[in-house]
Amino acid sequence: MRFPFIAAATVLLSVGAQPALSQILIAPNPYSELFVQTVRQNPEAWKQLGAEATEMLAPRLTAVEVTKSCGRYTELEASYSNGMTRSKEIPSDEATQTRLGNLFAANTAIVSFVEDPCME
């Protein structure tokens, strides 16, 4: 019975002996100060660098080509600002076809359609 009491008292004393976070002094980082000075000297270059980094990490969707056959969407090819393209077959269920029809109608600026001959 004594052991748990002694262990609990030790934990309480060690926790109480640590300073609060507001009491800990943190020295300024010279690298962060240098960064701030550099950005102030040439803010446009940093904006450009930020835009380029964003473009690499999250490229913009630039074009969508949708293939239709027999009145149904069958395939989608998406092109991105970094040159990457992705293709995907489109399920033929009615719910998916309806949702995509509404989506494509709302984004006519980047969506183009290609008609494949109907092979039924």
Side-chain angles (χ1 to χ4, degrees), residues 35 42-58:
F35 175 77
N42 197 350
E44 290 304 314
W46 284 100
K47 285 180 186 176
Q48 179 65 29
L49 179 64
E52 290 171 7
T54 300
E55 190 66 31
M56 284 176 30
L57 298 174

Side-chain angles (χ1 to χ4, degrees), residues 16-26:
Q18 293 184 4
L21 288 178
S22 62
Q23 296 173 342
I24 298 174
L25 297 177
I26 299 175

Side-chain angles (χ1 to χ4, degrees), residues 4-114:
F5 176 73
I6 293 171
T10 304
V11 169
L12 288 175
L13 287 175
S14 67
V15 169
Q18 293 184 4
L21 288 178
S22 62
Q23 296 173 342
I24 298 174
L25 297 177
I26 299 175
N29 182 344
Y31 294 109
S32 63
E33 292 174 9
L34 180 63
F35 175 77
V36 170
Q37 290 173 1
T38 306
V39 170
R40 283 186 188 143
Q41 290 173 0
N42 197 350
E44 290 304 314
W46 284 100
K47 285 180 186 176
Q48 179 65 29
L49 179 64
E52 290 171 7
T54 300
E55 190 66 31
M56 284 176 30
L57 298 174
R60 287 171 303 158
L61 183 64
T62 57
V64 176
E65 185 176 278
V66 180
T67 304
K68 287 179 78 174
S69 181
C70 301
R72 304 197 62 77
Y73 306 113
T74 57
E75 188 177 2
L76 177 139
E77 182 174 290
S79 300
Y80 296 89
S81 58
N82 64 357
M84 182 178 69
T85 60
R86 294 214 170 183
S87 296
K88 181 155 180 82
E89 287 189 28
I90 299 173
S92 61
D93 64 279
E94 197 59 43
T96 301
Q97 293 288 317
T98 302
R99 274 196 324 261
L100 288 177
N102 293 336
L103 180 66
F104 297 150
N107 293 292
T108 56
I110 62 170
V111 177
S112 61
F113 295 97
V114 175

